[in-house]
Amino acid sequence: MTLNRFIKPTLLALAAASFALSAQAAPLKVDAAKSNVVATFKQLNVPVDAKFKKFAATIDFDAAKPAEGKANVEIDVTSFDLGEPDYNKEVQKKEWFNAAQFPKASFVSSSIKASGAGKYDVAGKLTIKGKTTDVSFPLTVKKEGAAQVFDGVLPIKRLTYNIGEGEWKDTGMVADEVTIKFHIVAQ
């Protein structure tokens, strides 16, 4: 009787610990040197690509269990690079990113659903300049050696996030449509 009182609680504790460990898989390590986040938009109807030089991504993903996957991306908007120092300085101002008040943009996934071989539909919350909206986008995942490569394209409207206030609300100079493209290599 005494042994039984000891074994049952011990087995339950081990089972609970085992479940907790299996539910908390280690996030993948992102290779920043091989990864990038780029925003593409049109200025005077000419396509412009600008790169975010600094971002952090936490990805917990297993292709066998995509619904259990999670992604969290935080982008340093002060690292936005248009290729010209004066332009880079301009977009940090209040009318654009207001980087002094909102130095980070973020995406937090709420669901990942398989939509075909290596293809997924991702939904979540995107926060830019203090404004949070629900977004969704297609994602492809492929293996490259030991790494997993995540590629996606997220279309947004800049004015939804008050990017380009005042005179910059006019979409004749800078289009409202922005495409955020990302290529994340992790293992």
Side-chain angles (χ1 to χ4, degrees):
M1 197 72 152
T2 306
L3 185 59
N4 200 16
R5 274 193 252 159
F6 174 75
I7 291 177
K8 281 185 181 178
T10 302
L11 288 176
L12 287 174
L14 287 173
S18 173
F19 177 77
L21 288 174
S22 67
Q24 296 176 346
L28 300 171
K29 183 173 169 45
V30 173
D31 185 338
K34 293 180 181 177
S35 302
N36 62 66
V37 177
V38 176
T40 302
F41 58 93
K42 288 187 178 179
Q43 183 169 345
L44 295 173
N45 212 28
V46 175
V48 176
D49 286 335
K51 183 177 183 177
F52 290 96
K53 290 183 171 183
K54 295 179 186 172
F55 65 91
T58 304
I59 301 170
D60 188 350
F61 181 79
D62 180 348
K65 301 178 238 170
E68 294 177 18
K70 294 182 184 346
N72 186 342
V73 180
E74 189 172 85
I75 297 172
D76 182 344
V77 299
T78 66
S79 74
F80 193 65
D81 185 12
L82 286 156
E84 167 61 44
D86 289 339
Y87 294 156
N88 294 347
K89 187 176 176 182
E90 181 66 30
V91 297
Q92 300 307 312
K93 293 181 178 177
K94 184 178 180 186
E95 295 81 12
W96 292 100
F97 282 121
N98 193 2
Q101 186 174 356
F102 304 104
K104 307 279 186 199
S106 66
F107 171 77
V108 178
S109 68
S110 56
S111 73
I112 301 173
K113 297 178 184 171
S115 61
K119 296 181 182 189
Y120 304 89
D121 292 320
V122 179
K125 302 255 183 221
L126 178 64
T127 303
I128 303 174
K129 203 174 176 181
K131 171 104 184 206
T132 301
T133 63
D134 292 318
V135 296
S136 60
F137 57 91
L139 173 74
T140 61
V141 180
K142 64 182 177 182
K143 292 285 281 173
E144 282 186 5
Q148 292 187 72
V149 179
F150 301 84
D151 285 303
V153 176
L154 171 60
I156 66 167
K157 303 252 187 209
R158 69 177 175 87
L159 295 177
T160 299
Y161 302 94
N162 298 319
I163 300 172
E165 296 182 61
E167 68 180 290
W168 296 108
K169 279 189 174 184
D170 178 8
T171 57
M173 179 72 124
V174 179
D176 193 20
E177 294 78 17
V178 177
T179 303
I180 302 169
K181 302 176 207 170
F182 60 89
H183 175 82
I184 309 276
V185 178
Q187 57 181 336

